[in-house]
Amino acid sequence: MPKIAKDATVQTVITTFEMTPGTCQDLLEALTDAYANFISKQPGFVSAGLHVNDAQTRIANYSQWQRREDFLAMLRTPEMRERNRKINELCKSFEPVMYDVAETFG
């Protein structure tokens, strides 16, 4: 489970996917399979979560990695490159962005 803290030493990556309601479930299944069978087993992986909006037009993915280099290395693997090509076919767009936690509340 992701732990969001200002003093965390992990690299946070938030990826948003835009799709149609007709492809939402297929995309969610592809992402779930990628995390369960590949991404979560990569060096430096800490945790992740998938979120779907009510209209089923967006999926937000929150992941944490020990280092930014671990995330980038995972993206460069032949398996993830192939998975991303298939994921790209299921959505209009997706964009992973690295963030630092600026503040937390609650």
Side-chain angles (χ1 to χ4, degrees):
M1 174 180 294
K3 180 177 185 242
I4 303 171
K6 190 174 178 179
D7 62 351
T9 60
V10 297
Q11 175 64 63
T12 299
V13 181
I14 299 174
T15 307
T16 53
F17 301 83
E18 183 180 355
M19 68 277 167
T20 65
T23 58
C24 181
Q25 190 59 42
D26 294 331
L27 180 56
L28 184 59
E29 288 172 8
L31 293 169
T32 298
D33 182 71
Y35 271 99
N37 296 307
F38 182 71
I39 299 172
S40 64
K41 295 171 175 41
Q42 297 309 294
F45 175 80
V46 176
S47 63
L50 293 168
H51 309 263
V52 179
N53 73 334
D54 288 348
Q56 294 189 336
T57 56
R58 295 197 188 274
I59 293 176
N61 167 234
Y62 187 96
S63 66
Q64 294 178 327
W65 297 81
Q66 289 176 1
R67 303 173 311 132
R68 71 182 286 124
E69 293 82 9
D70 295 327
F71 173 73
L72 294 172
M74 177 276 300
L75 285 180
R76 292 183 187 116
T77 62
E79 180 166 348
M80 198 63 221
R81 290 173 66 201
E82 178 63 27
R83 286 180 181 267
N84 275 338
R85 281 191 283 278
K86 291 177 182 173
I87 287 167
N88 189 53
E89 292 173 3
L90 295 170
C91 61
K92 295 177 184 176
S93 65
F94 72 97
E95 181 180 13
V97 179
M98 294 186 198
Y99 291 90
D100 292 322
V101 177
E103 287 294 339
T104 58
F105 304 92

